[in-house]
Amino acid sequence: MPLSHTKLDEIQKVIQNETDFDGWLLYDYRQNNEFVSEILEIPKDLFTRRFFYWIPKVGIPSKIFHAIERHIYEPVIGKDCEYRTWQELLGILSKTLSKVGRIAMEYSPQGVLPTISKVDAGTLELIKTKVSQINSSWPIAEHFIGIWDKQQMDLHREASHVLEYAFSSCWNLIRTSLDANRAINEQMVQNFILDIFKQNDCITESLPICAVQENSANPHHASSTAPIKNDALILIDMWCKKNAPNAPFADQTKVAFTSPNVPKKITSVYSIVKKAQTKAIEFCKDQFNKTISVRGSDVDDIAREHIASQGYANNFLHRTGHNIDKHLHGMATNVDNFELHDTRFLKKNTCCSIEPGIYIKGEFGIRLECNMIIHDNEIEITGQSEDEIIKI
């Protein structure tokens, strides 16, 4: 169902009570702005022409669409503003925004947060000729983007259970193959995981990762025919969601060693990564218990500082975590003060990954990833990482 009157009322209340904006101008062209489909709840694959949706802080919205796409926007609440030519479009925009000063759009000053920067520079220049100021829409959108309901939380837990089953099945497959002297390689494990997803009515956005020994030092390794042998480290990173409307992803990474005697360096690095993950989670628990809001950047700092204190600052190559929703990498707050300076707060009823890692080129890499759901002043962890490296 498209945007409801109830949701529209909620959006306008947020604009009125939490911002000094005159309204929110949503814009999309050829599916460049996922916020439009998320907020208006219409299929994004239908957009082919420029579309604007003006939500004033008070009053009826205006939907500005091309004549050939009227059928797409008819169910959406608002005044129809149909154009055919570019001249007509400019005229409608001028009329719609004639008494408007400060507005919100999907814009991030200086591109600090690309996940919320969806409007192209040319369109921003155009709108700046009609209003006095354009601000980031995130203070409004954060109330509606990446927020889970109870059903979505249950679907996430189901997907998480599938991942946990897939991990144990993978370790068993590898061990039995090695014991029987049967060939086993990264791609075979990858295909095995995909079969498990299919059997459990789960889908994924991209292929899972199975990386052996030095391949695990590449965080985005593309699984190959590299053989799996005894005395080797294996990293598996996989993600899936239930094949159901609005189902969110679960995303986990674990590592294992194919012999009982794990080299001291691997054991040491595992301990450091596990401690960094634990520190990040405990920091969130402590802050939420005190009803203190937590920024994504602050959580990243906690994990990164521990890894740096152990001499591996240059081996932690990515952010500590990302938002998770219906997309594997969602648009809400990331746990990041490394790739991006994400000062947004972790919101109630959202989920993110906590996945610190250490990567030693030419040797091995260790990443541990669990998921953190934020409830009322408390958190829930799915896909809990083991205290010690798995031995298979």
Side-chain angles (χ1 to χ4, degrees):
M1 291 292 292
L3 175 71
S4 66
H5 286 280
T6 300
K7 187 173 180 180
L8 175 60
D9 289 343
E10 291 173 355
I11 292 171
Q12 291 184 314
K13 285 177 182 177
V14 171
I15 298 172
Q16 294 163 18
N17 299 333
E18 301 191 28
T19 78
D20 58 357
F21 306 155
D22 294 317
W24 184 5
L25 183 62
L26 287 153
Y27 166 73
D28 188 54
Y29 177 63
R30 293 187 178 179
Q31 307 152 47
N32 288 331
N33 184 359
E34 303 99 311
F35 283 79
V36 173
S37 58
E38 290 287 331
I39 295 298
L40 301 186
E41 301 179 29
I42 51 179
K44 66 180 181 180
D45 58 344
L46 298 175
F47 307 162
T48 65
R49 302 297 196 276
R50 286 182 287 181
F51 170 69
F52 291 87
Y53 189 71
W54 169 242
I55 306 176
K57 64 181 179 182
V58 177
I60 301 172
S62 297
K63 42 185 177 175
I64 304 171
F65 55 84
H66 192 275
I68 67 170
E69 294 187 340
R70 167 178 282 275
H71 62 289
I72 299 173
Y73 305 109
E74 278 184 343
V76 179
I77 300 167
K79 175 186 174 183
D80 289 343
C81 300
E82 180 181 292
Y83 72 91
R84 295 165 301 164
T85 68
W86 62 268
Q87 295 96 332
E88 289 175 343
L89 172 59
L90 293 181
I92 291 170
L93 285 171
S94 295
K95 183 178 180 180
T96 302
L97 302 174
S98 62
K99 297 179 181 179
V100 173
R102 293 164 54 86
I103 71 167
M105 295 187 77
E106 283 62 73
Y107 154 70
S108 175
Q110 299 183 34
V112 171
L113 294 173
T115 51
I116 60 175
S117 187
K118 301 295 182 181
V119 182
D120 65 278
T123 299
L124 284 172
E125 290 172 354
L126 168 63
I127 301 302
K128 282 179 179 177
T129 66
K130 306 184 183 304
V131 301
S132 61
Q133 189 174 358
I134 299 176
N135 304 272
S136 172
S137 63
W138 186 248
I140 310 168
E142 68 176 342
H143 296 270
F144 307 97
I145 296 294
I147 305 295
W148 291 6
D149 58 26
K150 182 182 181 302
Q151 182 184 32
Q152 287 176 300
M153 291 184 185
D154 289 340
L155 288 168
H156 167 83
R157 294 183 190 107
E158 289 182 38
S160 185
H161 291 322
V162 172
L163 293 183
E164 290 165 4
Y165 169 72
F167 276 114
S168 62
S169 299
C170 285
W171 307 142
N172 184 62
L173 169 70
I174 292 167
R175 185 69 262 157
T176 54
S177 296
L178 293 175
D179 287 346
N181 201 27
R182 289 197 306 267
I184 183 79
N185 63 39
E186 293 175 348
Q187 286 183 348
M188 292 168 71
V189 174
Q190 184 183 71
N191 290 331
F192 181 73
I193 293 168
L194 293 173
D195 285 342
I196 290 175
F197 290 172
K198 185 176 181 180
Q199 292 163 13
N200 288 274
D201 195 28
C202 287
I203 56 177
T204 185
E205 284 186 351
S206 51
L207 296 175
I209 297 170
C210 177
V212 177
Q213 206 59 40
E214 64 270 16
N215 291 341
S216 62
N218 175 3
H220 282 176
H221 172 66
S223 297
S224 66
T225 56
I228 299 173
K229 301 179 180 179
N230 283 308
D231 299 310
L233 182 140
I234 305 165
L235 180 150
I236 296 179
D237 184 1
M238 55 173 133
W239 47 91
C240 71
K241 65 178 179 177
K242 297 298 291 183
N243 188 15
N246 298 317
F249 272 87
D251 185 10
Q252 299 173 21
T253 306
K254 296 182 184 293
V255 296
F257 199 76
T258 59
S259 296
N261 299 317
V262 185
K264 288 183 179 179
K265 188 172 184 179
I266 290 177
T267 300
S268 173
V269 170
Y270 186 96
S271 259
I272 294 167
V273 174
K274 171 60 176 173
K275 184 69 172 179
Q277 186 188 61
T278 299
K279 279 180 170 286
I281 293 169
E282 292 300 323
F283 170 75
C284 292
K285 286 182 178 179
D286 180 65
Q287 297 297 97
F288 290 138
N289 284 339
K290 297 174 182 175
T291 66
I292 298 173
S293 296
V294 177
R295 302 187 307 175
S297 55
D298 295 333
V299 184
D300 182 76
D301 286 345
I302 296 296
R304 198 165 302 280
E305 285 167 5
H306 177 70
I307 288 176
S309 74
Q310 303 300 306
Y312 287 102
N314 293 330
N315 301 93
F316 188 2
L317 306 177
H318 53 71
R319 63 196 171 200
T320 296
H322 58 85
N323 174 248
I324 298 172
D325 62 13
K326 293 177 288 185
H327 310 283
L328 178 61
H329 296 90
M331 295 180 287
T333 306
N334 292 320
V335 182
D336 191 0
N337 197 23
F338 182 67
E339 300 175 41
L340 302 170
H341 184 45
D342 200 332
T343 58
R344 294 177 294 173
F345 291 103
L346 295 170
K347 299 287 288 185
K348 172 186 170 184
N349 296 328
T350 64
C351 178
C352 64
S353 67
I354 302 291
E355 50 177 306
I358 292 175
Y359 308 91
I360 304 171
K361 189 175 181 180
E363 296 186 45
F364 65 89
I366 289 178
R367 176 170 67 257
L368 298 176
E369 179 179 17
C370 63
N371 300 158
M372 183 171 76
I373 306 173
I374 301 159
H375 299 291
D376 284 316
N377 301 321
E378 63 178 1
I379 64 174
E380 173 187 351
I381 300 299
T382 57
Q384 181 74 54
S385 301
E386 289 73 16
D387 290 335
E388 295 181 353
I389 191 167
I390 299 165
K391 302 168 187 175
I392 57 173

